[in-house]
Coordinates of all heavy atoms in Angstrom, one line a residue:
M511 N 111.6 9.6 -167.6 CA 111.3 10.1 -166.2 C 111.5 9.0 -165.2 O 111.1 7.9 -165.3 CB 109.8 10.5 -166.2 CG 109.6 11.9 -166.9 SD 107.8 12.3 -166.7 CE 107.8 12.9 -165.0
L512 N 112.0 9.6 -164.0 CA 112.1 8.7 -162.8 C 111.0 8.8 -161.8 O 110.6 10.0 -161.5 CB 113.5 8.8 -162.2 CG 114.7 8.6 -162.9 CD1 116.0 9.0 -162.2 CD2 114.8 7.1 -163.4
F513 N 110.6 7.8 -161.3 CA 109.5 7.8 -160.2 C 109.9 6.9 -159.2 O 110.4 5.8 -159.3 CB 108.1 7.3 -160.8 CG 107.5 8.2 -161.9 CD1 107.8 8.0 -163.2 CD2 106.7 9.2 -161.5 CE1 107.2 8.8 -164.2 CE2 106.1 10.0 -162.4 CZ 106.4 9.8 -163.8
K514 N 109.6 7.3 -157.9 CA 109.7 6.5 -156.7 C 108.3 5.9 -156.5 O 107.3 6.7 -156.5 CB 110.1 7.2 -155.5 CG 110.3 6.3 -154.4 CD 110.6 7.1 -153.0 CE 109.2 7.5 -152.4 NZ 109.3 8.1 -151.0
V515 N 108.3 4.6 -156.3 CA 107.0 3.8 -156.2 C 107.1 3.1 -154.9 O 108.0 2.3 -154.8 CB 106.6 3.0 -157.4 CG1 105.2 2.4 -157.1 CG2 106.5 3.9 -158.6
E516 N 106.2 3.3 -154.0 CA 106.0 2.4 -152.7 C 104.9 1.5 -153.0 O 103.7 2.0 -153.2 CB 105.9 3.2 -151.5 CG 107.3 3.9 -151.2 CD 107.3 4.5 -149.8 OE1 106.7 3.9 -148.9 OE2 107.8 5.5 -149.6
M517 N 105.0 0.2 -152.8 CA 104.0 -0.7 -153.0 C 103.8 -1.5 -151.6 O 104.8 -2.1 -151.1 CB 104.2 -1.7 -154.1 CG 104.5 -1.1 -155.4 SD 105.0 -2.4 -156.6 CE 105.9 -1.4 -157.7
T518 N 102.6 -1.5 -151.1 CA 102.3 -2.4 -150.0 C 101.2 -3.4 -150.3 O 100.2 -3.2 -150.9 CB 101.8 -1.6 -148.8 OG1 102.9 -0.7 -148.3 CG2 101.4 -2.4 -147.6
V519 N 101.6 -4.6 -150.1 CA 100.8 -5.8 -150.5 C 99.8 -6.2 -149.3 O 100.4 -6.5 -148.2 CB 101.6 -7.0 -151.0 CG1 100.8 -8.2 -151.4 CG2 102.6 -6.6 -152.1
N520 N 98.6 -6.3 -149.7 CA 97.6 -6.8 -148.7 C 96.8 -7.9 -149.3 O 95.7 -7.7 -149.9 CB 96.6 -5.7 -148.3 CG 97.3 -4.4 -147.7 OD1 97.9 -4.6 -146.6 ND2 97.3 -3.3 -148.4
I521 N 97.3 -9.1 -149.2 CA 96.6 -10.3 -149.7 C 95.5 -10.7 -148.7 O 95.7 -10.8 -147.5 CB 97.6 -11.4 -150.0 CG1 98.5 -11.1 -151.1 CG2 96.8 -12.8 -150.3 CD1 99.5 -12.1 -151.5
P522 N 94.2 -10.9 -149.3 CA 93.2 -11.2 -148.3 C 93.4 -12.5 -147.5 O 94.0 -13.5 -148.1 CB 92.0 -11.5 -149.2 CG 92.3 -10.7 -150.5 CD 93.8 -10.7 -150.6
L523 N 93.2 -12.5 -146.2 CA 93.5 -13.7 -145.4 C 92.8 -15.0 -145.9 O 93.3 -16.0 -145.8 CB 93.1 -13.4 -144.0 CG 93.9 -12.3 -143.3 CD1 93.4 -12.1 -142.0 CD2 95.4 -12.7 -143.2
D524 N 91.7 -14.8 -146.6 CA 90.9 -16.0 -147.1 C 91.3 -16.4 -148.5 O 90.7 -17.3 -149.0 CB 89.3 -15.7 -147.0 CG 88.9 -14.6 -147.9 OD1 89.8 -13.8 -148.4 OD2 87.7 -14.3 -147.9
M525 N 92.3 -15.8 -149.1 CA 92.7 -16.2 -150.4 C 93.4 -17.6 -150.2 O 94.4 -17.8 -149.4 CB 93.6 -15.2 -151.0 CG 94.2 -15.7 -152.4 SD 95.3 -14.6 -153.2 CE 94.2 -13.3 -153.7
P526 N 93.1 -18.7 -151.1 CA 93.8 -19.9 -151.0 C 95.3 -19.7 -151.2 O 95.7 -18.9 -152.0 CB 93.2 -20.8 -152.0 CG 91.9 -20.1 -152.3 CD 92.0 -18.7 -152.0
V527 N 96.1 -20.5 -150.5 CA 97.6 -20.4 -150.5 C 98.1 -20.6 -151.9 O 99.0 -19.9 -152.4 CB 98.2 -21.4 -149.5 CG1 99.7 -21.3 -149.7 CG2 97.8 -21.1 -148.1
E528 N 97.5 -21.6 -152.7 CA 97.9 -21.9 -154.0 C 97.6 -20.7 -154.9 O 98.4 -20.4 -155.8 CB 97.2 -23.1 -154.6 CG 97.3 -24.3 -153.7 CD 96.4 -24.4 -152.5 OE1 95.4 -23.7 -152.4 OE2 96.8 -25.1 -151.4
T529 N 96.5 -20.1 -154.8 CA 96.2 -18.9 -155.7 C 97.2 -17.7 -155.4 O 97.7 -17.2 -156.3 CB 94.7 -18.4 -155.3 OG1 93.9 -19.4 -155.4 CG2 94.3 -17.3 -156.2
A530 N 97.4 -17.5 -154.0 CA 98.4 -16.4 -153.7 C 99.7 -16.7 -154.3 O 100.4 -15.9 -155.0 CB 98.5 -16.3 -152.2
A531 N 100.2 -18.0 -154.2 CA 101.5 -18.4 -154.8 C 101.6 -18.2 -156.2 O 102.6 -17.8 -156.8 CB 101.8 -19.9 -154.4
E532 N 100.5 -18.6 -157.0 CA 100.4 -18.3 -158.5 C 100.5 -16.9 -158.8 O 101.3 -16.6 -159.7 CB 99.0 -18.9 -158.8 CG 99.0 -19.4 -160.3 CD 97.6 -20.0 -160.4 OE1 97.3 -21.0 -159.9 OE2 96.8 -19.5 -161.3
I533 N 99.8 -16.1 -158.1 CA 99.9 -14.5 -158.4 C 101.2 -14.0 -158.1 O 101.8 -13.2 -158.8 CB 98.7 -13.8 -157.6 CG1 97.3 -14.3 -157.9 CG2 98.9 -12.3 -157.8 CD1 96.2 -13.7 -157.1
K534 N 101.8 -14.5 -157.0 CA 103.2 -14.0 -156.6 C 104.2 -14.4 -157.7 O 105.1 -13.7 -158.0 CB 103.6 -14.5 -155.2 CG 102.9 -13.9 -154.1 CD 103.3 -14.4 -152.8 CE 102.4 -14.1 -151.6 NZ 102.8 -14.7 -150.4
A535 N 104.1 -15.7 -158.2 CA 104.9 -16.1 -159.3 C 104.9 -15.3 -160.5 O 105.9 -14.9 -161.1 CB 104.8 -17.6 -159.6
K536 N 103.6 -14.9 -160.9 CA 103.4 -14.1 -162.1 C 104.0 -12.6 -161.8 O 104.6 -12.0 -162.7 CB 101.9 -13.9 -162.4 CG 101.3 -15.1 -163.0 CD 99.9 -15.0 -163.3 CE 99.3 -16.3 -163.9 NZ 97.8 -16.3 -163.7
E537 N 103.9 -12.1 -160.6 CA 104.3 -10.8 -160.2 C 105.9 -10.8 -160.3 O 106.4 -9.8 -160.9 CB 103.8 -10.6 -158.7 CG 104.4 -9.2 -158.2 CD 103.5 -8.0 -158.7 OE1 102.4 -8.2 -159.0 OE2 104.1 -6.9 -158.5
K538 N 106.5 -11.9 -159.8 CA 108.0 -12.0 -159.9 C 108.5 -12.0 -161.3 O 109.4 -11.2 -161.6 CB 108.4 -13.2 -159.1 CG 110.0 -13.4 -159.1 CD 110.3 -14.5 -158.2 CE 111.8 -14.6 -158.0 NZ 112.2 -15.6 -157.0
A539 N 107.8 -12.7 -162.1 CA 108.2 -12.9 -163.6 C 108.0 -11.5 -164.3 O 108.9 -11.0 -165.1 CB 107.4 -13.9 -164.3
Y540 N 107.0 -10.8 -164.0 CA 106.7 -9.4 -164.6 C 107.6 -8.5 -164.1 O 108.2 -7.7 -164.9 CB 105.2 -9.1 -164.2 CG 104.7 -7.8 -164.7 CD1 104.5 -7.5 -166.1 CD2 104.5 -6.7 -163.9 CE1 104.1 -6.3 -166.6 CE2 104.0 -5.5 -164.2 CZ 103.8 -5.3 -165.7 OH 103.4 -4.1 -166.1
S541 N 107.9 -8.5 -162.8 CA 108.9 -7.5 -162.2 C 110.2 -7.7 -162.8 O 110.9 -6.8 -163.2 CB 108.9 -7.7 -160.7 OG 110.0 -7.1 -160.2
Q542 N 110.6 -9.0 -162.9 CA 112.0 -9.3 -163.4 C 112.1 -8.9 -164.9 O 113.2 -8.5 -165.4 CB 112.4 -10.7 -163.1 CG 112.6 -10.9 -161.6 CD 113.1 -12.3 -161.2 OE1 112.9 -13.3 -161.9 NE2 113.7 -12.4 -160.0
Q543 N 111.1 -9.1 -165.6 CA 111.0 -8.7 -167.1 C 111.3 -7.2 -167.2 O 112.0 -6.7 -168.0 CB 109.7 -9.1 -167.8 CG 109.5 -8.7 -169.2 CD 110.5 -9.4 -170.1 OE1 111.0 -10.5 -169.9 NE2 111.1 -8.6 -171.1
L544 N 110.6 -6.4 -166.4 CA 110.7 -5.0 -166.4 C 112.0 -4.5 -166.0 O 112.6 -3.5 -166.5 CB 109.6 -4.3 -165.6 CG 108.1 -4.4 -166.2 CD1 107.1 -3.9 -165.2 CD2 108.0 -3.8 -167.5
Q545 N 112.6 -5.3 -165.0 CA 114.1 -5.0 -164.6 C 115.0 -5.2 -165.7 O 115.9 -4.4 -166.0 CB 114.4 -5.8 -163.3 CG 113.6 -5.3 -162.1 CD 113.8 -6.2 -160.9 OE1 115.0 -6.3 -160.4 NE2 112.8 -6.8 -160.4
Q546 N 114.8 -6.3 -166.4 CA 115.7 -6.6 -167.6 C 115.6 -5.5 -168.6 O 116.6 -5.2 -169.3 CB 115.2 -8.0 -168.2 CG 115.3 -9.2 -167.3 CD 116.8 -9.7 -167.2 OE1 117.7 -9.1 -167.7 NE2 117.0 -10.8 -166.3
E547 N 114.4 -5.0 -168.8 CA 114.1 -3.9 -169.8 C 114.7 -2.6 -169.4 O 114.7 -1.6 -170.1 CB 112.7 -3.9 -170.2 CG 112.2 -5.1 -170.9 CD 110.6 -5.1 -171.0 OE1 110.0 -4.0 -170.7 OE2 109.9 -6.1 -171.4
G548 N 115.1 -2.5 -168.1 CA 115.5 -1.3 -167.5 C 114.5 -0.3 -167.0 O 114.8 0.9 -166.7
K549 N 113.3 -0.7 -167.2 CA 112.1 0.2 -166.7 C 111.9 0.2 -165.2 O 111.5 1.2 -164.7 CB 110.8 -0.2 -167.4 CG 110.8 -0.1 -168.9 CD 109.6 -0.5 -169.6 CE 109.6 -0.3 -171.1 NZ 109.7 1.1 -171.6
W550 N 112.2 -1.0 -164.6 CA 112.1 -1.1 -163.1 C 113.5 -1.1 -162.6 O 114.1 -2.2 -162.6 CB 111.3 -2.4 -162.8 CG 110.8 -2.5 -161.3 CD1 111.4 -2.0 -160.2 CD2 109.6 -3.2 -160.9 NE1 110.6 -2.3 -159.1 CE2 109.6 -3.0 -159.5 CE3 108.6 -3.9 -161.5 CZ2 108.5 -3.6 -158.7 CZ3 107.5 -4.4 -160.8 CH2 107.6 -4.1 -159.4
R551 N 114.1 0.1 -162.3 CA 115.5 0.3 -162.1 C 116.0 -0.3 -160.8 O 117.1 -0.9 -160.7 CB 115.9 1.7 -162.3 CG 117.2 1.9 -162.9 CD 117.7 3.2 -162.6 NE 117.5 4.1 -163.9 CZ 118.1 5.2 -164.0 NH1 118.7 5.8 -163.0 NH2 117.8 6.0 -165.0
H552 N 115.2 -0.2 -159.8 CA 115.6 -0.6 -158.4 C 114.4 -1.2 -157.7 O 113.2 -0.6 -157.9 CB 116.2 0.5 -157.6 CG 117.5 1.1 -158.0 ND1 118.7 0.4 -157.9 CD2 117.7 2.1 -158.7 CE1 119.6 1.1 -158.4 NE2 119.1 2.3 -158.9
I553 N 114.6 -2.2 -156.9 CA 113.6 -2.7 -156.0 C 114.2 -3.0 -154.7 O 115.2 -3.8 -154.7 CB 112.7 -3.8 -156.6 CG1 111.6 -4.2 -155.6 CG2 113.6 -5.0 -157.1 CD1 110.5 -5.2 -156.1
W554 N 113.6 -2.5 -153.6 CA 114.1 -2.8 -152.2 C 112.9 -3.2 -151.3 O 111.9 -2.6 -151.4 CB 114.8 -1.5 -151.6 CG 116.0 -1.1 -152.3 CD1 116.1 -0.2 -153.4 CD2 117.3 -1.6 -152.1 NE1 117.4 -0.2 -153.8 CE2 118.1 -1.0 -153.1 CE3 117.8 -2.5 -151.2 CZ2 119.5 -1.2 -153.1 CZ3 119.3 -2.7 -151.4 CH2 120.0 -2.1 -152.3
R555 N 113.2 -4.2 -150.5 CA 112.2 -4.5 -149.5 C 112.3 -3.5 -148.4 O 113.5 -3.1 -148.0 CB 112.5 -5.9 -148.9 CG 111.6 -6.4 -147.8 CD 110.2 -6.6 -148.3 NE 109.9 -7.8 -149.1 CZ 109.0 -7.8 -150.1 NH1 108.3 -6.6 -150.5 NH2 108.7 -8.9 -150.8
I556 N 111.2 -3.1 -147.9 CA 111.2 -2.2 -146.7 C 111.2 -3.2 -145.6 O 110.2 -3.9 -145.4 CB 109.9 -1.2 -146.7 CG1 110.0 -0.4 -147.9 CG2 109.9 -0.5 -145.4 CD1 108.8 0.6 -148.1
A557 N 112.2 -3.1 -144.7 CA 112.4 -4.1 -143.6 C 111.2 -4.1 -142.7 O 110.6 -3.1 -142.3 CB 113.6 -3.7 -142.8
G558 N 110.8 -5.4 -142.5 CA 109.7 -5.6 -141.5 C 108.3 -5.5 -142.1 O 107.3 -5.7 -141.4
L559 N 108.1 -5.1 -143.4 CA 106.8 -4.9 -144.0 C 106.7 -5.7 -145.3 O 107.7 -6.0 -146.0 CB 106.7 -3.5 -144.4 CG 106.7 -2.5 -143.2 CD1 106.6 -1.1 -143.8 CD2 105.6 -2.8 -142.2
Y560 N 105.5 -6.1 -145.7 CA 105.3 -6.6 -147.0 C 105.2 -5.4 -148.0 O 104.1 -5.2 -148.5 CB 104.1 -7.6 -147.1 CG 104.0 -8.5 -148.3 CD1 103.0 -9.4 -148.4 CD2 104.9 -8.4 -149.3 CE1 102.8 -10.2 -149.5 CE2 104.8 -9.2 -150.4 CZ 103.7 -10.1 -150.5 OH 103.6 -10.9 -151.7
S561 N 106.2 -4.7 -148.1 CA 106.2 -3.5 -148.9 C 107.5 -3.4 -149.6 O 108.6 -3.9 -149.2 CB 106.0 -2.2 -148.0 OG 104.9 -2.2 -147.3
N562 N 107.5 -2.7 -150.7 CA 108.8 -2.4 -151.4 C 108.9 -1.0 -151.8 O 107.9 -0.3 -151.9 CB 109.1 -3.3 -152.6 CG 108.2 -2.9 -153.8 OD1 108.4 -1.9 -154.4 ND2 107.1 -3.7 -154.1
V563 N 110.1 -0.5 -151.9 CA 110.3 0.9 -152.5 C 111.1 0.7 -153.8 O 112.0 -0.1 -153.9 CB 111.0 1.9 -151.6 CG1 112.4 1.4 -151.2 CG2 111.0 3.2 -152.2
S564 N 110.6 1.2 -154.9 CA 111.1 0.9 -156.2 C 111.4 2.2 -157.0 O 110.7 3.2 -156.7 CB 110.1 0.1 -157.1 OG 110.0 -1.2 -156.5
I565 N 112.3 2.2 -157.9 CA 112.5 3.3 -158.9 C 112.2 2.8 -160.2 O 112.7 1.8 -160.7 CB 114.0 3.8 -158.8 CG1 114.4 4.1 -157.3 CG2 114.2 5.0 -159.7 CD1 113.7 5.3 -156.8
F566 N 111.3 3.4 -160.9 CA 111.0 3.2 -162.3 C 111.5 4.3 -163.2 O 111.5 5.5 -162.8 CB 109.4 3.1 -162.4 CG 108.7 1.9 -161.9 CD1 108.6 1.7 -160.6 CD2 108.4 0.9 -162.8 CE1 107.9 0.6 -160.2 CE2 107.9 -0.4 -162.3 CZ 107.7 -0.5 -161.1
D567 N 111.9 3.8 -164.4 CA 112.4 4.7 -165.4 C 111.7 4.5 -166.7 O 111.9 3.5 -167.4 CB 114.0 4.4 -165.6 CG 114.7 5.4 -166.6 OD1 114.0 6.3 -167.1 OD2 115.9 5.2 -166.7
V568 N 110.7 5.5 -166.8 CA 109.7 5.3 -168.0 C 109.6 6.6 -168.7 O 110.1 7.6 -168.3 CB 108.4 4.9 -167.4 CG1 108.4 3.5 -166.8 CG2 107.9 5.9 -166.3
K569 N 109.0 6.5 -169.8 CA 108.9 7.7 -170.7 C 108.0 8.8 -170.0 O 108.5 10.0 -170.0 CB 108.1 7.3 -172.0 CG 108.1 8.5 -173.1 CD 107.8 7.8 -174.4 CE 106.4 7.4 -174.7 NZ 105.3 8.3 -174.9
D570 N 106.9 8.5 -169.4 CA 106.1 9.4 -168.8 C 105.1 8.8 -167.7 O 105.1 7.6 -167.6 CB 105.2 10.2 -169.8 CG 104.5 9.2 -170.8 OD1 104.1 8.1 -170.3 OD2 104.2 9.7 -171.9
A571 N 104.3 9.6 -167.1 CA 103.4 9.1 -166.1 C 102.4 8.1 -166.7 O 102.0 7.2 -166.0 CB 102.7 10.2 -165.5
E572 N 102.0 8.2 -167.9 CA 101.1 7.4 -168.5 C 101.7 5.9 -168.6 O 101.0 5.0 -168.3 CB 100.6 7.8 -169.9 CG 99.5 7.0 -170.4 CD 99.0 7.6 -171.8 OE1 99.5 8.5 -172.2 OE2 98.0 6.9 -172.3
E573 N 103.0 5.9 -169.0 CA 103.6 4.6 -169.2 C 103.7 3.9 -167.7 O 103.4 2.8 -167.6 CB 105.0 4.7 -169.7 CG 105.6 3.2 -169.9 CD 107.0 3.3 -170.5 OE1 107.7 4.4 -170.7 OE2 107.5 2.2 -170.9
L574 N 104.1 4.7 -166.7 CA 104.1 4.2 -165.4 C 102.8 3.6 -164.9 O 102.6 2.6 -164.4 CB 104.6 5.2 -164.4 CG 104.7 4.8 -162.9 CD1 105.8 3.7 -162.7 CD2 104.8 5.9 -161.9
H575 N 101.7 4.5 -165.2 CA 100.4 4.1 -164.8 C 100.0 2.7 -165.5 O 99.6 1.8 -164.8 CB 99.4 5.1 -165.3 CG 97.9 4.8 -165.1 ND1 97.3 4.9 -163.9 CD2 96.9 4.3 -166.0 CE1 96.1 4.6 -163.9 NE2 95.8 4.1 -165.2
N576 N 100.3 2.6 -166.8 CA 99.9 1.3 -167.4 C 100.7 0.1 -166.9 O 100.2 -1.0 -166.7 CB 100.2 1.4 -168.9 CG 99.1 2.4 -169.5 OD1 98.0 2.5 -169.0 ND2 99.5 3.1 -170.5
L577 N 102.0 0.3 -166.5 CA 102.8 -0.7 -166.0 C 102.4 -1.2 -164.6 O 102.2 -2.4 -164.3 CB 104.4 -0.3 -165.8 CG 105.1 -0.1 -167.1 CD1 106.6 0.4 -166.7 CD2 105.2 -1.3 -168.0
L578 N 101.9 -0.2 -163.8 CA 101.5 -0.5 -162.4 C 100.1 -1.2 -162.5 O 99.8 -2.2 -161.7 CB 101.4 0.8 -161.6 CG 102.7 1.4 -161.3 CD1 102.5 2.7 -160.5 CD2 103.7 0.6 -160.6
M579 N 99.2 -0.7 -163.3 CA 98.0 -1.4 -163.5 C 98.0 -2.8 -164.0 O 97.2 -3.6 -163.7 CB 97.1 -0.6 -164.5 CG 96.7 0.8 -164.1 SD 95.5 0.8 -162.9 CE 94.0 0.3 -163.7
A580 N 99.1 -3.2 -164.6 CA 99.3 -4.5 -165.1 C 100.0 -5.5 -164.1 O 100.1 -6.7 -164.4 CB 100.1 -4.5 -166.4
L581 N 100.3 -4.9 -162.9 CA 101.0 -5.8 -161.9 C 99.9 -6.9 -161.5 O 98.8 -6.5 -161.1 CB 101.4 -5.0 -160.6 CG 102.5 -4.0 -160.7 CD1 102.5 -3.0 -159.6 CD2 103.8 -4.7 -160.9
P582 N 100.3 -8.1 -161.5 CA 99.4 -9.2 -161.0 C 98.9 -9.0 -159.6 O 97.7 -9.3 -159.3 CB 100.2 -10.5 -161.1 CG 101.1 -10.2 -162.3 CD 101.6 -8.7 -162.1
L583 N 99.7 -8.3 -158.7 CA 99.3 -8.1 -157.4 C 98.5 -6.7 -157.2 O 98.1 -6.4 -156.1 CB 100.5 -8.1 -156.4 CG 101.0 -9.5 -156.1 CD1 102.4 -9.4 -155.3 CD2 100.0 -10.3 -155.2
Y584 N 98.3 -6.0 -158.4 CA 97.8 -4.7 -158.3 C 96.4 -4.7 -157.5 O 96.3 -3.7 -156.6 CB 97.6 -4.1 -159.7 CG 97.0 -2.8 -159.6 CD1 97.7 -1.6 -159.4 CD2 95.5 -2.5 -159.8 CE1 97.1 -0.3 -159.4 CE2 94.9 -1.4 -159.6 CZ 95.7 -0.2 -159.4 OH 95.2 1.0 -159.3
P585 N 95.5 -5.6 -157.7 CA 94.2 -5.5 -156.9 C 94.5 -5.6 -155.4 O 93.5 -5.2 -154.7 CB 93.4 -6.7 -157.3 CG 94.1 -7.1 -158.7 CD 95.6 -6.7 -158.6
Y586 N 95.6 -6.1 -155.0 CA 95.9 -6.3 -153.5 C 96.9 -5.3 -153.0 O 97.5 -5.5 -151.9 CB 96.3 -7.7 -153.2 CG 95.4 -8.7 -154.0 CD1 95.9 -9.3 -155.1 CD2 94.1 -8.9 -153.6 CE1 95.1 -10.2 -155.8 CE2 93.3 -9.7 -154.2 CZ 93.7 -10.4 -155.4 OH 92.9 -11.2 -156.1
M587 N 97.2 -4.2 -153.7 CA 98.3 -3.3 -153.4 C 97.7 -1.8 -153.0 O 96.8 -1.4 -153.7 CB 99.3 -3.1 -154.5 CG 100.3 -4.3 -154.7 SD 101.3 -3.9 -156.1 CE 102.5 -5.1 -155.9
D588 N 98.4 -1.3 -152.1 CA 98.3 0.2 -151.9 C 99.6 0.8 -152.5 O 100.7 0.3 -152.2 CB 98.2 0.6 -150.5 CG 97.0 0.2 -149.8 OD1 95.9 0.2 -150.4 OD2 97.0 -0.2 -148.7
I589 N 99.5 1.7 -153.4 CA 100.6 2.2 -154.2 C 100.7 3.8 -153.9 O 99.7 4.5 -154.1 CB 100.4 2.0 -155.6 CG1 100.4 0.4 -155.8 CG2 101.6 2.6 -156.5 CD1 100.3 -0.1 -157.4
N590 N 101.9 4.2 -153.7 CA 102.2 5.7 -153.6 C 103.2 6.0 -154.6 O 104.3 5.3 -154.7 CB 102.7 6.1 -152.3 CG 101.5 6.1 -151.2 OD1 100.5 6.9 -151.5 ND2 101.6 5.3 -150.3
V591 N 103.1 7.1 -155.5 CA 104.0 7.4 -156.5 C 104.5 8.9 -156.3 O 103.7 9.8 -155.9 CB 103.3 7.4 -157.8 CG1 104.3 8.0 -159.0 CG2 102.8 6.0 -158.1
D592 N 105.9 9.0 -156.4 CA 106.4 10.4 -156.4 C 107.3 10.6 -157.6 O 108.1 9.7 -157.9 CB 107.3 10.6 -155.1 CG 106.6 10.7 -153.9 OD1 105.7 11.5 -153.8 OD2 106.8 9.8 -153.0
A593 N 107.1 11.7 -158.2 CA 108.0 12.0 -159.4 C 109.4 12.4 -158.9 O 109.4 13.2 -157.9 CB 107.4 13.0 -160.3
L594 N 110.4 12.1 -159.6 CA 111.8 12.5 -159.2 C 112.5 13.3 -160.2 O 112.1 13.2 -161.4 CB 112.6 11.2 -158.9 CG 112.1 10.2 -157.9 CD1 113.0 9.0 -157.9 CD2 112.0 10.8 -156.5
C595 N 113.2 14.2 -159.8 CA 114.1 14.9 -160.7 C 115.5 15.0 -160.2 O 115.8 14.6 -159.0 CB 113.6 16.3 -161.0 SG 113.4 17.4 -159.5
R596 N 116.4 15.3 -161.0 CA 117.9 15.2 -160.7 C 118.2 16.2 -159.5 O 117.8 17.3 -159.5 CB 118.7 15.6 -161.9 CG 120.2 15.5 -161.7 CD 120.9 15.8 -163.0 NE 122.3 15.7 -162.7 CZ 123.0 14.5 -162.7 NH1 122.5 13.5 -163.0 NH2 124.4 14.6 -162.5
H597 N 119.0 15.7 -158.6 CA 119.4 16.5 -157.5 C 120.7 17.2 -157.9 O 121.6 16.6 -158.6 CB 119.9 15.6 -156.2 CG 120.0 16.4 -155.1 ND1 121.2 17.2 -154.8 CD2 119.2 16.7 -154.0 CE1 121.0 17.8 -153.6 NE2 119.9 17.5 -153.1
P598 N 120.9 18.5 -157.7 CA 122.0 19.3 -158.1 C 123.4 18.7 -157.6 O 124.4 19.1 -158.3 CB 121.8 20.7 -157.7 CG 120.7 20.6 -156.7 CD 119.9 19.4 -157.0
S599 N 123.4 18.0 -156.6 CA 124.6 17.5 -156.0 C 124.9 16.1 -156.5 O 125.9 15.5 -156.2 CB 124.6 17.5 -154.5 OG 124.3 18.7 -154.0
S600 N 124.1 15.5 -157.3 CA 124.3 14.1 -157.8 C 125.6 14.0 -158.5 O 125.8 14.9 -159.4 CB 123.1 13.6 -158.5 OG 123.3 12.3 -159.0
I601 N 126.4 12.9 -158.4 CA 127.5 12.7 -159.3 C 127.2 11.6 -160.3 O 128.0 11.1 -161.0 CB 128.7 12.2 -158.4 CG1 128.4 10.9 -157.7 CG2 129.2 13.3 -157.5 CD1 129.6 10.3 -157.1
R602 N 125.9 11.0 -160.4 CA 125.5 10.0 -161.2 C 125.0 10.6 -162.5 O 124.1 11.4 -162.6 CB 124.5 9.1 -160.6 CG 125.0 8.5 -159.4 CD 124.1 7.5 -158.7 NE 124.5 7.0 -157.5 CZ 125.5 6.1 -157.3 NH1 126.1 5.6 -158.3 NH2 125.9 5.8 -156.0
N603 N 125.4 10.1 -163.6 CA 125.0 10.6 -165.0 C 123.6 10.1 -165.4 O 123.0 10.6 -166.3 CB 126.0 10.3 -166.0 CG 127.3 11.1 -165.8 OD1 127.2 12.2 -165.3 ND2 128.5 10.5 -166.2
D604 N 123.2 9.0 -164.8 CA 121.9 8.4 -165.2 C 120.7 8.8 -164.3 O 119.7 8.2 -164.3 CB 122.0 6.8 -165.2 CG 122.4 6.3 -163.9 OD1 122.8 7.0 -163.0 OD2 122.3 4.9 -163.8
D605 N 120.9 9.9 -163.5 CA 119.9 10.3 -162.5 C 118.9 11.3 -163.3 O 118.8 12.4 -162.8 CB 120.5 11.1 -161.3 CG 121.1 10.1 -160.3 OD1 121.0 8.9 -160.5 OD2 121.6 10.6 -159.3
K606 N 118.4 10.9 -164.4 CA 117.5 11.8 -165.1 C 116.5 11.0 -165.8 O 116.6 9.9 -166.0 CB 118.2 12.8 -165.9 CG 119.2 12.2 -166.9 CD 120.0 13.1 -167.8 CE 120.7 12.5 -168.8 NZ 122.0 12.4 -168.9
Ligands
LIG95 O1 107.0 -8.5 -153.0 C1 106.7 -7.3 -153.3 O2 107.1 -6.3 -152.8 C2 105.5 -7.1 -154.3 C3 105.9 -7.3 -155.7 C4 106.8 -6.4 -156.3 C5 107.7 -7.2 -157.0 C6 107.4 -8.5 -156.8 O3 107.9 -9.5 -157.3 O4 106.4 -8.6 -155.9

């Protein structure tokens, strides 16, 4: 199943810079691992915001839930999820 996920990061202003850098490094490694596995299919920065729009390709909503809950930045994120289905005009075979 494909899901569109929007994540907005709100790191507390009083978090030490080193702690934030450590969490961001863990987040990057986790994200890139999931991208290598094909579960995190796309990630785009939303211009001007500390937000991304991503496409996940997972078995079901429960798998997505577990992946999102394990994000190192999860405690500092607002997340919105939309389930996607194939558009009848799509020419891409992997849009499902
Ligand atoms: O920067 C972000 O948008 C938040 C998060 C998502 C992937 C990653 O490496 O960081």
Side-chain angles (χ1 to χ4, degrees):
M511 285 184 74
L512 295 177
F513 291 91
K514 183 189 87 172
V515 180
E516 287 190 38
M517 306 175 202
T518 298
V519 182
N520 301 295
I521 293 181
L523 294 174
D524 60 354
M525 180 184 285
V527 175
E528 304 76 27
T529 306
E532 209 173 293
I533 298 170
K534 287 181 196 176
K536 285 184 186 157
E537 177 84 16
K538 183 173 184 173
Y540 179 66
S541 167
Q542 291 186 335
Q543 177 63 38
L544 292 175
Q545 289 176 62
Q546 297 282 359
E547 293 170 11
K549 291 181 187 289
W550 195 326
R551 216 194 259 191
H552 296 281
I553 180 168
W554 296 92
R555 179 62 79 217
I556 300 177
L559 300 175
Y560 193 178
S561 301
N562 72 71
V563 60
S564 292
I565 304 296
F566 283 80
D567 186 352
V568 292
K569 187 163 70 79
D570 53 26
E572 186 176 2
E573 182 178 14
L574 179 70
H575 176 78
N576 291 331
L577 293 181
L578 296 179
M579 293 288 286
L581 290 167
L583 281 171
Y584 179 82
Y586 314 106
M587 281 179 168
D588 291 323
I589 298 180
N590 284 300
V591 175
D592 292 303
L594 302 177
C595 58
R596 185 177 177 80
H597 192 286
S599 301
S600 175
I601 61 166
R602 300 184 188 284
N603 291 326
D604 60 350
D605 282 359
K606 54 184 186 248

